[in-house]
Amino acid sequence: VGWIVSNSQNRHRDERKDLRDRINEIAKLVKEVESDVVDFLTVEAQGAGSFWTVHFGVTRVNLAVVAMPTFDTTNVKDALISYRQAITGKAVNGPTSKPAGEAERERALRQVSKAGTALVRALENRFAEVFPIKARK
């Protein structure tokens, strides 16, 4: 009986750790993409290479989220869609896209940051749903 309880606790701990590691990896990817978007929108000679760096970064974030069945919830899906749209639909439309002015660039950067933060928050909330913190007595 002791082995069964111990094995169950270890498995639960390992699942929790694996999910925590995945969320941390995704959060790191989101910050990297955000940095790439900043580079794309602010560097004078951006070129197509910078666009593709952003595009592939968004693809990596998307794949990392959808690869986990645990994240298959409406809240996470909505946050992921908003994140992708903030980058590929608004801030970075194509290899030669560039916001018209400083105000539009600032708005795009804020939106990308807000969407990335919302995505990470949705993942954190999902983690809390799957592994709730139990109050100690």
Side-chain angles (χ1 to χ4, degrees):
V1 173
W3 179 85
I4 293 171
V5 171
S6 178
N7 186 42
S8 174
Q9 289 173 340
N10 288 339
R11 188 176 59 250
H12 180 76
R13 183 195 66 226
D14 291 344
E15 289 170 357
R16 182 180 170 95
K17 182 183 178 308
D18 288 343
L19 187 58
R20 167 58 40 212
D21 290 345
R22 180 62 63 104
I23 291 172
N24 290 341
E25 289 172 18
I26 294 169
K28 182 180 175 187
L29 285 173
V30 166
K31 291 302 173 191
E32 288 174 8
V33 170
E34 187 176 313
S35 176
D36 293 338
V37 170
V38 169
D39 289 345
F40 179 80
L41 294 176
T42 59
V43 174
E44 293 298 323
Q46 59 200 15
S50 184
F51 165 78
W52 290 110
T53 301
V54 171
H55 176 75
F56 293 139
V58 171
T59 300
R60 286 176 41 210
V61 170
N62 186 68
L63 290 174
V65 172
V66 299
M68 289 290 295
T70 305
F71 298 144
D72 190 15
T73 67
T74 302
N75 290 340
V76 173
K77 286 179 185 178
D78 290 347
L80 182 60
I81 290 168
S82 295
Y83 173 74
R84 289 189 332 243
Q85 288 175 343
I87 296 172
T88 59
K90 296 178 183 164
V92 181
N93 290 321
T96 58
S97 70
K98 192 173 191 177
E102 188 67 28
E104 190 176 337
R105 182 181 9 243
E106 291 293 324
R107 194 174 319 110
L109 291 173
R110 274 193 221 102
Q111 187 61 31
V112 167
S113 179
K114 181 180 174 182
T117 300
L119 175 59
V120 173
R121 188 174 304 125
L123 297 174
E124 293 287 351
N125 289 341
R126 182 63 182 143
F127 180 83
E129 290 171 3
V130 174
F131 297 105
I133 298 174
K134 297 173 184 163
R136 294 183 182 190
K137 295 180 181 180

